[in-house]
Amino acid sequence: MSVTVETAARTAPAAVIVAIDGPAGTGKSSTSKAVAAKLGLGYLDTGAQYRAITWWMVNNGIDVEDATAVADAAGKPGIVSGTDPANPTITVDGVDVSGPIRTQEVTSKVSAVSAVPEVRARITELQRTIATEAPRGIVVEGRDIGTTVLPDADVKIFLTASAEARAARRSGELRGRDAADLAATQAALAKRDAADSGRKTSPLAKADDAIEVDTTELTLEQVIECVVTLVEEKRSA
């Protein structure tokens, strides 16, 4: 049977937008990238964008504790995110910052920068543009995707895990670079959670219509399979 462009368009899977939220250490990044790759979707790490603008602020001598100074500079850096799940990239003013944005210095300052409303407005607009222009659909991970950035996302997932499990995972990720002991890592995560959940603008929160997945006792493959199944059910509905 010959397939025309028209019939191909009708039979191709509809573009789907998947929002995956949750605190650090729940497996968001690994899950999101794997789900995007399995389903042929784009992938966007929104946290990397906030890290990128924080890196720019630090590099340009902006006092990140001065909300007015941060707000005034929010529109200056040019941030570009590549959405290939196999090779997600991020540049600031044409410079690859995928490594520098993961330093402890940036990590310790990103919450302060992210809390500034002008920063969130700038990055949220960028995220919405990327998501709506994704030709085959996209998996977007962050902390306020289902509630604020993409409230009409087709599938919303909220990943959780115990504090102990999250700290163990994050310590494992950091080992060999900025390695920290388990207690220090857990304390840092608790501080980040409090900052993200308590900020006035777009706090970390589970959307009312999001599906919560507790990853504490699940392997990464089990979490990936769970999310893939949820997305495929939505696609075929």
Side-chain angles (χ1 to χ4, degrees):
M1 181 183 75
S2 63
V3 179
T4 65
V5 172
E6 184 180 355
T7 58
R10 284 203 306 268
T11 57
V16 61
I17 293 179
V18 182
I20 299 184
D21 289 309
T26 53
K28 285 197 311 295
S29 294
S30 299
T31 298
S32 299
K33 280 187 278 193
V35 169
K38 282 179 176 286
L39 296 175
L41 305 175
Y43 161 75
L44 179 62
D45 175 1
T46 63
Q49 295 175 319
Y50 284 106
R51 286 175 172 273
I53 199 168
T54 301
W55 174 88
W56 185 93
M57 297 283 175
V58 171
N59 262 36
N60 284 273
I62 307 297
D63 179 1
V64 301
E65 299 300 328
D66 183 343
T68 300
V70 171
D72 289 343
K76 295 181 179 179
I79 300 171
V80 177
S81 296
T83 57
D84 178 358
N87 183 36
T89 58
I90 186 158
T91 63
V92 178
D93 297 335
V95 177
D96 178 3
V97 295
S98 54
I101 64 172
R102 302 294 173 183
T103 63
Q104 186 56 42
E105 181 178 27
V106 171
T107 298
S108 67
K109 296 176 178 178
V110 67
S111 286
V113 174
S114 301
V116 176
E118 289 81 359
V119 169
R120 298 208 74 81
R122 161 87 197 285
I123 300 298
T124 295
E125 181 182 6
L126 177 61
Q127 292 162 357
R128 286 174 177 162
T129 299
I130 292 170
T132 56
E133 292 180 353
R136 294 166 298 171
I138 194 167
V139 178
V140 184
E141 62 144 310
R143 286 169 168 74
D144 65 340
I145 310 307
T147 53
T148 302
V149 180
L150 300 169
D152 296 324
D154 300 296
V155 180
K156 298 179 186 179
I157 309 291
F158 192 85
L159 299 183
T160 64
S162 70
E164 293 77 14
R166 292 169 54 212
R169 292 168 185 170
R170 183 48 57 93
S171 287
E173 291 172 3
L174 295 174
R175 189 160 293 121
R177 294 184 294 170
D178 298 325
D181 64 36
L182 203 58
T185 302
Q186 191 166 329
L189 286 174
K191 183 178 179 181
R192 179 72 190 273
D193 287 350
D196 290 344
S197 300
R199 65 176 178 242
K200 293 181 179 179
T201 306
S202 302
L204 163 67
K206 174 181 174 289
D208 291 339
D209 54 346
I211 300 167
E212 185 170 326
V213 178
D214 188 334
T215 70
T216 303
E217 302 295 334
L218 300 177
T219 65
L220 177 59
E221 284 304 318
Q222 287 173 324
V223 179
I224 293 166
E225 189 57 39
C226 173
V227 177
V228 166
T229 300
L230 290 169
V231 176
E232 287 183 329
E233 287 176 352
K234 177 65 179 181
R235 272 179 157 181
S236 61

